[in-house]
Each structure stands twice: as C-alpha cells, then as structure tokens.
Amino acid sequence: MLFDTHAHLNAEQFGEDLEEVLNRAKEAGVSNIVVVGFDRPTIEKTMELINQYDNIYGCIGWHPVDAIDMTDNDLRWIEELSQHQKIVALGEMGLDYYWDKSPKDIQQEVFRKQIQLAKKVKLPIVIHNREATEDVVKILKEENASDVGGIMHCFSGSIEIAKECMDMNFYISFGGPVTFKNARKPKEVAKEIPLDKILIETDCPYLTPHPYRGKRNEPAYVKLVAQQIAELKEMTLEEIAEITHNNAKKLFNIM
Ligand code: NI
C-alpha cells in the first residue's frame, strides 16, 4: 500500500472531481494521504477533508511565501486545530527565497515561531525549502527541531545536506522531480538515502511525475515515484511501497 505524504487536495484544481481523484488513488494502491494546508482557506479545507474521509490526514501551517500575512491569531488558530487527532504534522513551513512577497527576516521569524509551536504541541514538521538551504538548516539547528523531527518535503539538495537533516531526525521525501529524465542529481541522492529515512509524495497538483509532466498531478501518481525509487534501489515496487508506508506511519504516529 502506498502513502502519499504531501498532497494539496484542498486546492481549487480538485474542486470539480475530488471523488474521481480519490477513486483513482485507491485503484493505484494509495491507502493513506496527508493533505497539507498552508494558509487560511487551505487550512479550513484540510479540516473538512480529514473529517470527511477516513484515510486522509492533515498537516497545517503557514507557507513562507505568505509569511507576511500570518498574524498571532493565525498561530493560535493553528495551535487549536492541531489538537484534532487527525492533524499529524505542522507545515508546510520553512523559507522560500525564490519569491519575494515576504522579506527574509519575516519568513525566518514565522518559521521559528512554527517550530516552537510544533515542540509545544509535539508534532513533527514539514519543511519547504527553496533556494534557502543554508538558512533552513541553521534555523532547524538553532531551534532544536530534532526534538520533533519531520520531513524535508520534495527534497532537491545534496547528499551532504540530506545527511545533516537525517541527523536532526528528518525524513527525506521524494516527489515527481526524481522521475524526470534529466534528474541525475536527485536520482543519485535518492539512491544513497537509507531505506528507513525515505518517504514519497506527490505535492499534487504540482510537480507531476514523468510521463504526465505538464498535466495536473494527483495522489495516484505517487506510484510512479515509488517505481522510480524501487528502480534506483534495485528493489520491487511492493517492497518500496511497504517500507515508505511504514516510515510514514511511524513519523505521523498513525496506528
Ligand atoms: Ni506542498
């Protein structure tokens, strides 16, 4: 059984045909999905989905691109919602230096506050990093994020950075980009990551795996990511599915 650890089924791209998307996921062998909400509307939608569907869990937090919009009230709201037993992680949080909507210092402050909240409510964290690796690692260290651990979501860094993150109790999660034809580096990194530290995800509707690149992504396609990892590890799809499924259940504390 496959576990999609990062899906935005709360996005408007799934407004019309969510039932069909979930049926295709089931047919592909996807038994569990974590839906990620990262601002007011997507957090609200996440709470609806986890109440509506048994196999959907939630991860809520504030995206670094929108850090400038987060108020103390929002943080308190996230804290309250995190008491729901199907909220299994906080995020996605982190730093994104590609977009310049939120200044770096505000992103860093919002990131630190969310790590502190995760430690308070004892939930793992899901990290978004774009062009900010050095500062992300520095803040994870300074805030002792290893106390809660979590996931480096859609990891695209080097094996050295992966090792630093694994030492801090983080799993390394791979998505569609590892299947791209020209993705030599992500493939090399995936090959090196120990089996007990690997997770798989879609990040749908974004980052659609090969051969559907350019189309809308959906949880069923996490199978393509698992297939690619299996190939790199010279193992079967079933073995990789089981290992990553167990890793996810352990991290999210799902029985
Ligand atoms: Ni995401």
Side-chain angles (χ1 to χ4, degrees):
M1 287 300 199
L2 295 154
F3 197 132
D4 184 356
T5 62
H6 194 117
H8 299 282
L9 294 179
N10 44 17
E12 60 184 17
Q13 287 91 331
F14 296 108
E16 300 286 315
D17 63 346
L18 184 61
E19 288 296 329
E20 289 154 49
V21 166
L22 291 173
N23 282 336
R24 282 196 292 272
K26 205 171 164 189
E27 278 163 28
V30 180
S31 55
N32 303 71
I33 302 169
V34 168
V35 168
V36 180
F38 54 60
D39 60 14
R40 283 170 216 123
T42 59
I43 289 172
E44 277 169 11
K45 187 72 187 165
T46 301
M47 301 312 290
E48 280 174 33
L49 293 173
I50 63 176
N51 286 320
Q52 201 174 346
Y53 298 99
D54 281 349
N55 64 335
I56 294 183
Y57 296 82
C59 168
I60 53 172
W62 211 265
H63 202 284
V65 170
D66 301 318
I68 197 161
D69 300 326
M70 195 192 81
T71 64
D72 287 343
N73 270 337
D74 291 319
L75 199 64
R76 273 192 294 273
W77 181 53
I78 291 169
E79 180 174 352
E80 277 166 32
L81 296 179
S82 73
Q83 301 307 311
H84 191 300
Q85 62 164 2
K86 288 181 82 187
I87 292 296
V88 293
L90 295 192
E92 55 195 288
M93 63 177 78
L95 301 174
D96 191 317
Y97 293 168
Y98 179 79
W99 303 104
D100 57 9
K101 180 182 166 188
S102 300
K104 288 182 184 179
D105 58 330
I106 292 179
Q107 289 193 34
Q108 292 177 12
E109 190 193 326
V110 164
F111 185 21
R112 287 182 193 274
K113 280 183 180 171
Q114 291 186 85
I115 300 172
Q116 289 155 14
L117 174 60
K119 288 165 73 176
K120 184 176 169 193
V121 300
K122 298 189 167 56
L123 283 174
I125 56 180
V126 174
I127 306 299
H128 172 103
N129 165 29
R130 193 165 184 193
E131 297 183 9
T133 304
E134 201 178 313
D135 286 351
V136 165
V137 171
K138 181 171 150 257
I139 289 173
L140 290 175
K141 277 187 187 149
E142 286 175 1
E143 297 292 337
N144 293 312
S146 58
D147 289 359
V148 287
I151 303 177
M152 302 308 289
H153 137 66
C154 205
F155 187 77
S156 64
S158 66
I159 187 70
E160 289 75 24
I161 296 296
K163 279 178 183 156
E164 272 196 84
C165 296
M166 289 187 285
D167 284 345
M168 285 190 283
N169 232 346
F170 279 79
Y171 287 78
I172 308 298
S173 184
F174 293 95
V178 79
T179 69
F180 296 168
K181 286 286 175 207
N182 55 359
R184 197 174 54 86
K185 197 175 109 184
K187 285 185 170 70
E188 276 170 22
V189 172
K191 206 172 167 176
E192 294 276 313
I193 303 295
L195 287 168
D196 64 346
K197 287 293 181 187
I198 291 191
L199 294 174
I200 52 174
E201 63 172 75
T202 55
D203 201 19
C204 64
Y206 319 107
L207 299 175
T208 313
H210 175 80
Y212 302 116
R213 204 173 169 181
K215 303 214 172 75
R216 181 188 68 175
N217 198 0
E218 59 176 66
Y221 297 162
V222 80
K223 190 175 181 177
L224 297 164
V225 177
Q227 248 153 8
Q228 178 67 73
I229 303 282
E231 217 172 281
L232 293 165
K233 293 285 191 190
E234 296 177 14
M235 294 171 72
T236 65
L237 172 65
E238 290 70 27
E239 285 168 326
I240 291 299
E242 195 192 338
I243 289 166
T244 53
H245 195 272
N246 288 337
N247 288 346
K249 280 170 89 174
K250 188 176 166 198
L251 171 70
F252 294 129
N253 201 17
I254 295 171
M255 292 303 130

